[in-house]
Amino acid sequence: MPELPEVETIRKGLEPLVGQRVAGLTQLHPGIVKLREFDAGEIIGKPVLGVYRRGKYLVLVFGECRYMVVHMGMSGRLYWSTPGSEPAKHTHFILKTEAGQQLRYEDPRRFGGIWFVRDTEKFFHLLGPEPLGPNFTLEEMYRGLEKRRAPVKSLLLDQSFVAGIGNIYADEILFAAQIHPARPAGSLLKKEVKRLFKAIREVLTRAIEHRGTTFRDYRDGDNHPGRFQDCLSVYSRDGKPCPRCGQLIKKIVVGGRGTHYCPGCQRL
DNA sequence: AGCTCACCCTGGACGC
DNA sequence: TGCGTCCAGGGTGAGC
């Protein structure tokens, strides 16, 4: 499940795309393109001017207000492929470059999608700040949490609160900050919000350094798995000892999501 | 307005 | 062995 660190790793792998011209776009599944604000034909022959990430979204920039936005949902993969090979079973979209390379989008569960948009400001207007960017500050986070009764974990997963955190990193962040995932967000003390803020940045930064987490099927653009799964403290470790205190990791449901935490270090 | 929950989808795990 | 059932989760939107 590509979250911010995985999407960031894929983005780095797509840097060679910049400067290459689009030779063709092939849609293999009717529902995978969610929005077409311009005709795909308008970018044929045009070079990719840039590739950037916003939250869990990847954006290919074509200029003249033309962007291709990709979200990989749970099981989506975006990767370089040799032109001759048969597309894998759930390949839904292929971008061919004039240099003869293919960028393929594969997504068995089809929770992901592709949008051809002209205005990224508008497209992302409900998305919260980048957790590793300058607009995400301790003060703003504190104001966003106060008076909220929802579990703090639900807010970490809320993309309008902060962009890019999914279920794995929410659990890891709360463990690092030593905060129980079900704590009402508004009940956090200032010092706890401080720990949480620090943990968000540290966990995500470390995960990027490890090229993301390969839990089931995540691979980067060059088909390499990530390494952060070896660093997980709580996610999917229920019944195993906490690396900090040795108590057994528990799994509960918070906000409808499977949630892993240490009952020793994360008290309600 | 804030919050919870069902829904979409498929592969893999699990139980009988 | 094989079949059926359940579960995972990101984002959206309905309903309380």
Side-chain angles (χ1 to χ4, degrees):
Chain A
M1 43 216 94
E3 305 180 30
L4 188 153
E6 290 76 32
V7 180
E8 179 63 18
T9 303
I10 291 168
R11 183 199 64 76
K12 287 177 186 164
L14 294 189
E15 275 171 1
L17 190 59
V18 177
Q20 292 205 51
R21 290 177 188 278
V22 179
L25 300 162
T26 311
Q27 186 176 348
L28 299 166
H29 190 283
I32 211 68
V33 174
K34 311 291 184 187
L35 180 66
R36 288 184 187 279
E37 290 184 343
F38 61 89
D39 193 77
E42 294 173 35
I43 54 175
I44 304 293
K46 299 265 166 52
V48 178
L49 300 180
V51 181
Y52 73 92
R53 180 193 57 72
R54 179 77 175 88
K56 302 176 194 172
Y57 294 85
L58 265 181
V59 182
L60 273 56
V61 183
F62 294 100
E64 297 169 24
C65 298
R66 290 182 178 85
Y67 305 88
M68 176 174 149
V69 180
V70 182
H71 191 292
M72 284 168 277
M74 272 198 64
S75 57
R77 286 177 57 186
L78 195 61
Y79 59 99
W80 294 107
S81 188
T82 46
S85 65
E86 189 68 24
K89 186 177 174 188
H90 296 290
T91 304
H92 305 315
F93 198 90
I94 301 176
L95 184 154
K96 297 177 182 123
T97 70
E98 285 187 355
Q101 284 180 298
Q102 289 193 4
L103 190 63
R104 294 183 182 174
Y105 179 67
E106 185 188 316
D107 186 4
R109 265 162 265 190
R110 275 187 276 130
F111 275 27
I114 297 173
W115 295 257
F116 290 95
V117 304
R118 305 198 61 124
D119 185 348
T120 50
E121 289 276 317
K122 193 176 111 201
F123 186 76
F124 291 127
H125 83 287
L126 288 179
L127 205 54
E130 283 296 317
L132 301 178
N135 295 334
F136 184 61
T137 63
L138 175 62
E139 280 311 312
E140 194 180 323
M141 193 177 90
Y142 186 76
R143 280 196 297 273
L145 291 173
E146 66 181 353
K147 294 175 189 158
R148 300 292 295 266
R149 296 211 308 275
V152 59
K153 170 164 174 175
S154 296
L155 281 185
L156 289 183
L157 292 175
D158 181 349
Q159 302 300 297
S160 67
F161 177 72
V162 58
I165 299 172
N167 207 37
I168 296 177
Y169 295 109
D171 284 0
E172 293 299 315
I173 286 164
L174 287 164
F175 173 78
Q178 298 185 250
I179 294 168
H180 193 290
R183 280 278 298 282
S187 76
L188 297 197
L189 306 172
K190 188 96 189 215
K191 63 173 184 180
E192 292 175 314
V193 177
K194 232 176 213 173
R195 289 208 305 267
L196 185 59
F197 181 78
K198 194 162 160 262
I200 288 171
R201 297 171 82 112
E202 283 179 358
V203 169
L204 294 177
T205 300
R206 223 156 68 82
I208 291 171
E209 286 166 4
H210 286 76
R211 306 181 59 82
T213 303
T214 294
F215 186 62
R216 271 205 191 90
D217 39 20
Y218 163 75
R219 293 287 188 283
D220 68 18
D222 296 308
N223 205 29
H224 296 127
R227 290 181 284 105
F228 197 68
Q229 60 277 11
D230 303 328
C231 308
L232 295 178
S233 298
V234 287
Y235 186 81
S236 193
R237 293 193 70 249
D238 36 315
K240 293 182 179 150
C242 164
R244 194 191 285 129
C245 77
Q247 280 206 40
L248 300 186
I249 303 300
K250 277 186 80 173
K251 182 174 182 183
I252 57 173
V253 175
V254 175
R257 295 283 172 244
T259 299
H260 314 75
Y261 75 104
C262 170
C265 331
Q266 296 166 273
R267 304 287 177 90
L268 250 187

